[in-house]
Amino acid sequence: MPEVPENHEKLKKIRKEKTRLNKLFAEVDEKKRKVVDGLIEECAFMRAELTELREFIIVNGVVDEMPQGNYSIIRESPYVRTYHTMIQRYTTAMKELLALLPKNTPAASMLDDGFDDFVDSRE
């Protein structure tokens, strides 16, 4: 596997996202820390990839022309398929990560949509 230079643009994006997420999840219980660290690592990577995929799709569109001998076919771009798959996995990983936040932290309250309070008030 080739070594990635430390100043590679994608690594910078990944580190920036890891820093952002680590600040949000700083108050997570030590027992959950390894899980949180792993999810942060993967979410940061996926966010950087999703950004690049989105930029490619914006420039090149969602369809692709694929040569087939004497003719060509129009198909969904492989970048779009990759983006759709990765955004689903990113969303799932972020939900898992958010579920690990203690309920009483400022970060959790920023993410609170009020649903729990609504359910509690109905009982």
Side-chain angles (χ1 to χ4, degrees), residues 4-71:
V4 181
E6 279 298 311
N7 64 347
H8 191 275
E9 200 58 40
K10 191 176 292 182
L11 283 180
K12 290 178 188 177
K13 290 177 185 177
I14 292 169
R15 280 193 292 269
K16 183 178 179 182
E17 181 64 6
K18 280 175 61 175
T19 299
R20 185 183 79 82
L21 290 173
N22 277 317
K23 286 179 187 175
L24 280 174
F25 292 90
E27 295 183 35
V28 169
D29 184 78
E30 271 308 306
K31 295 175 188 171
K32 299 176 184 177
R33 195 74 231 172
K34 282 187 178 183
V35 173
V36 168
D37 289 343
L39 286 169
I40 285 174
E41 184 76 33
E42 295 307 321
C43 286
F45 169 78
M46 284 190 281
R47 178 122 186 225
E49 280 296 322
L50 286 165
T51 300
E52 287 188 6
L53 287 166
R54 187 177 335 107
E55 289 169 1
F56 182 89
I57 293 166
I58 288 168
V59 170
N60 298 292
V62 295
V63 294
D64 199 21
E65 188 172 350
M66 188 171 91
Q68 295 287 312
N70 294 337
Y71 64 96

Side-chain angles (χ1 to χ4, degrees), residues 55-108:
E55 289 169 1
F56 182 89
I57 293 166
I58 288 168
V59 170
N60 298 292
V62 295
V63 294
D64 199 21
E65 188 172 350
M66 188 171 91
Q68 295 287 312
N70 294 337
Y71 64 96
S72 62
I73 61 171
I74 303 295
R75 65 180 181 158
E76 178 183 48
S77 167
Y79 291 91
V80 171
R81 274 184 271 163
T82 302
Y83 182 85
H84 284 156
T85 300
M86 190 172 293
I87 195 77
Q88 290 172 336
R89 297 220 166 67
Y90 174 76
T91 302
T92 300
M94 283 301 293
K95 283 180 182 177
E96 289 179 28
L97 196 52
L98 294 172
L100 294 169
L101 263 180
K103 293 281 185 197
N104 58 352
T105 62

Side-chain angles (χ1 to χ4, degrees), residues 107-119:
S109 63
M110 287 189 313
L111 302 168
D112 183 13
D113 62 1
F115 182 75
D116 290 335
D117 291 337
F118 171 75
V119 171

